[in-house]
Amino acid sequence: GDAIGPGTGRPRVGSVTIVTDHLTDSQRSLTRRLPFDDGDTLRRGDLLEGREILRQHYVKRGYPAAQVDLIEEEAGTSDQPLTNVSYAIRAGARHDLEINSEVLERGIRNAARHAWLEPILLEDLAAEARKSALGLLTTKGYYSATVEAAITAPESAAPPAEDTRTVTLDVNPGSKVRVRSIAITGNDAMPEERIRRQLLTREGGMLSMFGRGLLKEGILEEDVDAIRGLYLANGYLCVRIAQPKVTLSDDGSESEIRFCMAPLDVKDI
């Protein structure tokens, strides 16, 4: 840290203390995670960053409802003001994650854990885990996947040593959806072949064996942006691209996609 110089008048960090109702690591280990040391120049941004670092550390340890309060106490002298810094951590209930899925179990677990890193309400934990799981599945070609989420507490007559709950995700991935056909309409102002060259979505066939030719929701969004960019680059500033219309086959294994552009009669220069 910065050396303390007498009479500088610049506020510096005095003592640094961490108080918690559940210690996941040693006090020393937690303190070393902070972006400052005692004696460093006091920077408000560093204190706030330290609070978020501690919160995310507890989330990664299985405490997604953890709350961290920052407490500052003035100390030192007028010639050398100090601020003692304390963090009070309320870990909250521990939440284990149970994934029931035949595919992408590790990826779904990581996606849910990552979603919990953002500050969210306790009652939204299951919903956010479900949303992240669906997001991952649809990007991997499981367009028709469904996910059920629930939070349960242990059913025990004796109180557990720690308040532990389980978030369960029951995943039905369904079949990967192959793209059978792609239709483009309303493209009077632009040759269809130029539009098709912008698409990352491809019709299936042999490509589906290598992960291409599959229906992926995130890729569809990128396709819409690419088509819009093509029109804008050619001077059509008022183009409107509708969300692609997806029609699934009866067994849900194939899809037909329709991209629709608003007719453009005038090229804006």
Side-chain angles (χ1 to χ4, degrees):
D2 303 332
I4 300 178
T8 62
R10 299 175 61 188
R12 293 181 178 272
V13 177
S15 63
V16 180
T17 307
I18 297 177
V19 179
T20 177
D21 57 3
H22 184 85
L23 198 61
T24 61
D25 304 73
S26 68
Q27 290 276 358
R28 179 177 177 81
S29 176
L30 290 174
T31 302
R32 290 180 64 179
R33 294 179 179 278
L34 300 175
F36 60 88
D37 294 315
D38 56 293
D40 284 354
T41 300
L42 182 69
R43 298 181 179 90
R44 180 69 176 171
D46 289 345
L47 305 188
L48 297 176
E49 181 183 352
R51 181 176 66 182
E52 182 61 12
I53 287 173
L54 292 174
R55 189 193 68 80
Q56 290 199 8
H57 176 69
Y58 266 73
V59 172
K60 292 175 182 177
R61 289 290 191 271
Y63 299 90
Q67 297 181 1
V68 183
D69 293 326
L70 168 62
I71 304 168
E72 302 172 58
E73 181 182 2
E74 293 184 1
T77 65
S78 58
D79 290 337
Q80 184 52 73
L82 298 174
T83 297
N84 295 332
V85 178
S86 299
Y87 293 99
I89 305 174
R90 290 168 288 172
R94 177 179 175 82
H95 285 72
D96 295 328
L97 192 56
E98 181 179 327
I99 311 294
N100 299 319
S101 177
E102 298 178 354
V103 300
L104 301 174
E105 180 178 344
R106 182 176 180 180
I108 291 171
R109 184 178 303 277
N110 291 338
R113 293 288 189 195
H114 187 269
W116 285 353
L117 288 177
E118 296 297 324
I120 54 178
L121 297 175
L122 184 61
E123 56 266 29
D124 293 336
L125 288 177
E128 288 298 321
R130 175 183 177 275
K131 179 180 177 181
S132 65
L134 279 174
L136 175 67
L137 289 161
T138 55
T139 62
K140 297 299 184 180
Y142 296 98
Y143 188 83
S144 302
T146 60
V147 179
E148 298 293 333
I151 298 181
T152 56
E155 297 180 1
S156 174
E162 182 182 3
D163 184 5
T164 303
R165 302 167 193 182
T166 301
V167 176
T168 303
L169 297 180
D170 292 315
V171 178
N172 178 11
S175 302
K176 287 189 175 182
V177 180
R178 187 174 66 89
V179 178
R180 182 165 60 192
S181 65
I182 298 174
I184 297 174
T185 62
N187 57 303
D188 297 342
M190 189 73 62
E192 180 174 324
E193 187 57 33
R194 291 194 65 185
I195 296 174
R196 286 186 177 272
R197 286 201 297 267
Q198 306 303 310
L199 302 180
L200 294 176
T201 300
R202 295 284 190 268
E203 294 174 352
M206 292 297 294
L207 288 175
S208 59
M209 296 178 59
F210 306 98
R212 301 182 65 186
L214 296 176
L215 178 60
K216 301 180 180 180
E217 187 170 0
I219 299 300
L220 286 180
E221 296 173 0
E222 293 183 24
D223 287 338
V224 171
D225 290 339
I227 295 172
R228 183 179 294 109
L230 174 65
Y231 273 91
L232 292 175
N234 284 273
Y236 296 95
L237 306 182
C238 300
V239 63
R240 294 191 303 277
I241 313 296
Q243 283 299 109
K245 181 180 179 181
V246 177
T247 304
L248 298 180
S249 61
D250 291 340
D251 63 0
S253 66
E254 294 185 314
S255 63
E256 298 176 350
I257 304 173
R258 181 179 300 275
F259 292 91
C260 183
M261 281 119 270
L264 297 174
D265 297 326
V266 179
K267 184 174 181 180
D268 301 301
I269 303 297

